Amino acid sequence: MKNFNPADNIQDLQYFGEFGGVNPSISDSSTYTFLSAKTMFDTFEGNMEGCYLYSRHSSPSNLYLDKALAAMEGTESANVSASGMGAITPTLLQLCDSGDHIVSSRTIYGGTYAFLKNFTPRLGIKTTFVDITKLDIVEAAITSKTKVLYCETVSNPLLEVADIAGLAKIAKKHNLKLVVDNTFSPLSVSPATLGADIVIHSLTKYINGSSDTVGGVTCASQEFINDLKNVNSGASMLLGPTMDSLRSASVMKNLRTLHIRMKQHSHNAMYLAERFEKIGLKTVYPGLKSHPSHELYATMINPEYGFGGMMTLDVGTLAKANALMELMQAKNLGYLAVSLGFYKTLFSAPGTSTSSEIPMEEQIEMGLTDGLIRFSIGLDNDIERTYQMMKECMVELNILTAESISLV
Ligand code: PLP
């Protein structure tokens, strides 16, 4: 799609509050009155546009955020949820029945991996995990029972890039739904414009950006969102992972600055990645030419938002990784914390934290090494100063020698 700009799409929506407020009013109600019993019946039947029934189904505040996120992703509709997992799990359960099969990237968020590996088999849904960067391997894993291809645009934590247009072709050929978790790359990548059927986010991360809440969203066709919310058979309606109206109103306000934040996250991460690679550290960042999917990713992004704020450094051993993270925290360069998308840099060793659900032998097979630190680079005003301070920490811990730095 030409001229698709996700931030402009959000900006073009105009909402007013009940009394002409510049922010929409918050609907602080769990239930809604009806002027007639007939209207209530029709609403239960799902054929009363504009009427609210009960806030687990939908609420005005959630619908404002739904609309903005659907506009951002270029889908017909969206449904916000209480967490990212609260979006992922009902979406997959809505798409798959007992006996069905999913082909998933093997490098995905640990919680999603655990859901597919340990939980869905209890319901008769099996998953084959594959190297998502190899389209022939993906296609070979498809069986007559496969219903879903699942991946993350940029994977957690290894920052592998999924060729969404290539995967969409395979999905179409085999009549599958391509579900893409775009949590690491909001605005930078618009998976639905590349052919994804369903786009999911953990709003907990960049989209909310202030690390004060969990939240999620499923962006898809109106038909699929209606299915999720169906009072008789919808996985979101029946499992109940509903976002609270007060929260959706606050996420909505933070969404207003997402474009500015993403540009700064990307700028800072690119700055650090280029320099750390230059001084000889094993650095993975999709914006680096050395990244195996750099060229592909460059064709996938909306360039003004850059290559994102996620970067990994491999410092050799877990002991060194832990010491470095503790020292950087002591020097106030960031926080030793899971999650991402905060104003402050966050770092963690994924093998012992967010990916600890993945068994050790599988971590080794997918290249998730012991000394790997995942960085969510913050909004630092002076990234050169941050870089100098991070280097000093590395010299203090003998991860870098003063000579090796002075050579560059
Ligand atoms: N998807 C990705 C890529 C994630 O990193 C996470 C959480 O870390 C999730 C989904 C789950 O989101 P939440 O913690 O909001 O449930």
Side-chain angles (χ1 to χ4, degrees), residues 82-86 88 108-109 112 150 152 154 156 181 183-184 201-205 214-216 339-340 354 374:
S83 68
M85 289 308 289
I88 292 166
I108 50 174
Y109 167 59
T112 314
Y150 185 88
E152 295 173 4
V154 179
N156 184 5
D181 179 337
T183 298
F184 277 31
H201 284 275
S202 165
L203 303 178
T204 315
K205 313 294 163 29
V214 285
S339 202
L340 46 129
T354 48
R374 183 187 82 174

Side-chain angles (χ1 to χ4, degrees), residues 232-392:
N232 292 308
S233 57
S236 290
M237 182 62 183
L238 299 177
L239 295 170
T242 312
M243 178 175 267
D244 182 73
S245 289
L246 296 175
R247 269 308 174 194
S248 57
S250 76
V251 174
M252 182 76 195
K253 282 173 252 180
N254 287 357
L255 179 66
R256 298 290 180 209
T257 56
L258 179 64
H259 56 298
I260 300 167
R261 290 186 277 115
M262 285 315 295
K263 288 175 191 175
Q264 186 73 10
H265 284 300
S266 291
H267 168 78
N268 285 355
M270 183 68 128
Y271 185 98
L272 293 178
E274 279 178 339
R275 279 153 188 83
F276 282 128
E277 182 173 61
K278 233 184 203 164
I279 59 173
L281 276 178
K282 229 165 134 190
T283 311
V284 175
Y285 180 65
L288 293 177
K289 288 203 172 66
S290 58
H291 188 286
S293 300
H294 171 73
E295 277 175 28
L296 166 70
Y297 200 51
T299 68
M300 286 169 57
I301 60 171
N302 302 310
E304 68 187 281
Y305 307 106
F307 289 88
M310 301 304 294
M311 171 187 95
T312 68
L313 292 180
D314 192 336
V315 295
T317 64
L318 181 60
K320 277 187 180 168
N322 288 343
L324 179 60
M325 291 190 293
E326 285 168 15
L327 186 58
M328 287 190 298
Q329 178 161 259
K331 306 254 183 203
N332 201 17
L333 285 165
Y335 296 139
L336 205 180
V338 297
S339 202
L340 46 129
F342 198 33
Y343 82 93
K344 193 100 175 169
T345 293
L346 301 179
F347 32 78
S348 55
T352 53
S353 57
T354 48
S355 298
S356 55
E357 292 90 342
I358 302 172
M360 188 50 73
E361 62 281 10
E362 288 176 43
Q363 289 193 22
I364 293 167
E365 200 191 312
M366 62 177 67
L368 212 171
T369 47
D370 247 11
L372 195 79
I373 303 177
R374 183 187 82 174
F375 287 82
S376 163
I377 303 299
L379 299 173
D380 304 27
N381 177 52
D382 184 351
I383 196 66
E384 160 66 17
R385 173 172 166 264
T386 302
Y387 173 62
Q388 294 304 337
M389 289 170 73
M390 284 170 88
K391 263 192 336 191
E392 280 162 24

Side-chain angles (χ1 to χ4, degrees), residues 51-115:
C51 277
Y52 296 95
L53 177 67
Y54 183 64
S55 285
R56 174 154 44 81
H57 184 253
S58 63
S59 66
S61 295
N62 286 7
L63 285 188
Y64 287 131
L65 185 58
D66 290 343
K67 276 202 181 125
L69 293 167
M72 179 181 91
E73 288 300 356
T75 57
E76 284 174 3
S77 190
N79 184 44
V80 293
S81 51
S83 68
M85 289 308 289
I88 292 166
T89 55
T91 297
L92 293 175
L93 294 178
Q94 194 68 36
L95 291 170
C96 296
D97 289 323
S98 179
D100 288 343
H101 175 247
I102 296 172
V103 174
S104 169
S105 166
R106 60 185 186 176
T107 53
I108 50 174
Y109 167 59
T112 314
Y113 181 87
F115 177 67

Side-chain angles (χ1 to χ4, degrees), residues 73 75 178-182 191-192 196-201 217-220:
E73 288 300 356
T75 57
L178 175 60
V179 182
V180 178
D181 179 337
N182 199 32
D197 297 289
I198 297 175
V199 183
I200 291 180
H201 284 275
V217 69
T218 303
C219 303

